[in-house]
């Protein structure tokens, strides 16, 4: 295992965790919206965000699979994982900002 591969694996795992955080937050928000009266608009918003969450997660999984290849595949994995992770984090932040309550 060379250093590029190790870096690619770490970045791919970090990207996957970031996208899964977004998926988990959407699932939690959807569950809460379905349990309370008047949660329809929130459930509609969550439904509109699933394609972004699914696409970024699929990209992160693909990047993790790319790390099993050679150096060129590792570089592609780094690029895809970084992009997927950035999309996941940005989407999570925008969803949290929209529905942040309290302080």
């Amino acid at each position: 295992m060379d250093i590029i591969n190790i870096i690619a694996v770490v970045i791919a795992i970090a990207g996957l965790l970031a996208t899964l955080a977004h998926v988990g937050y959407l699932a939690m928000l959807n569950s809460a919206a379905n349990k309370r009266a008047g949660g329809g608009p929130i459930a509609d918003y969550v439904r509109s965000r699933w394609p972004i969450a699914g696409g970024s997660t699929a990209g992160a999984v693909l990047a993790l699979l790319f790390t099993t290849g050679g150096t060129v595949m590792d570089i592609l994995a780094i690029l895809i994982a970084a992009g997927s992770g950035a999309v996941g984090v940005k989407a999570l932040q925008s969803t949290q900002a929209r529905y942040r309550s309290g302080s």
Side-chain angles (χ1 to χ4, degrees), residues 8 10 32 54 65:
V10 169
L65 291 174

Side-chain angles (χ1 to χ4, degrees), residues 34-91:
N34 288 332
K35 288 180 182 174
R36 73 181 275 249
I42 296 172
D44 291 340
Y45 175 77
V46 169
R47 258 191 304 279
S48 74
R49 302 299 284 179
W50 281 121
I52 294 168
S56 63
T57 302
V61 169
L62 180 67
L64 191 58
L65 291 174
F66 277 5
T67 62
T68 61
T71 304
V72 173
M73 295 301 280
D74 287 338
I75 292 170
L76 284 174
I78 290 170
L79 295 173
I80 293 170
S84 295
V87 168
V89 167
K90 184 68 177 163

Side-chain angles (χ1 to χ4, degrees), residues 17-35 39-57 87-100:
L17 289 175
T19 60
L20 289 177
H22 183 225
V23 168
Y25 190 79
L26 286 177
M28 180 201 61
L29 194 60
N30 191 47
S31 175
N34 288 332
K35 288 180 182 174
I42 296 172
D44 291 340
Y45 175 77
V46 169
R47 258 191 304 279
S48 74
R49 302 299 284 179
W50 281 121
I52 294 168
S56 63
T57 302
V87 168
V89 167
K90 184 68 177 163
L92 175 61
Q93 288 173 344
S94 70
T95 303
Q96 285 177 333
R98 182 176 177 135
Y99 293 108
R100 189 169 311 265

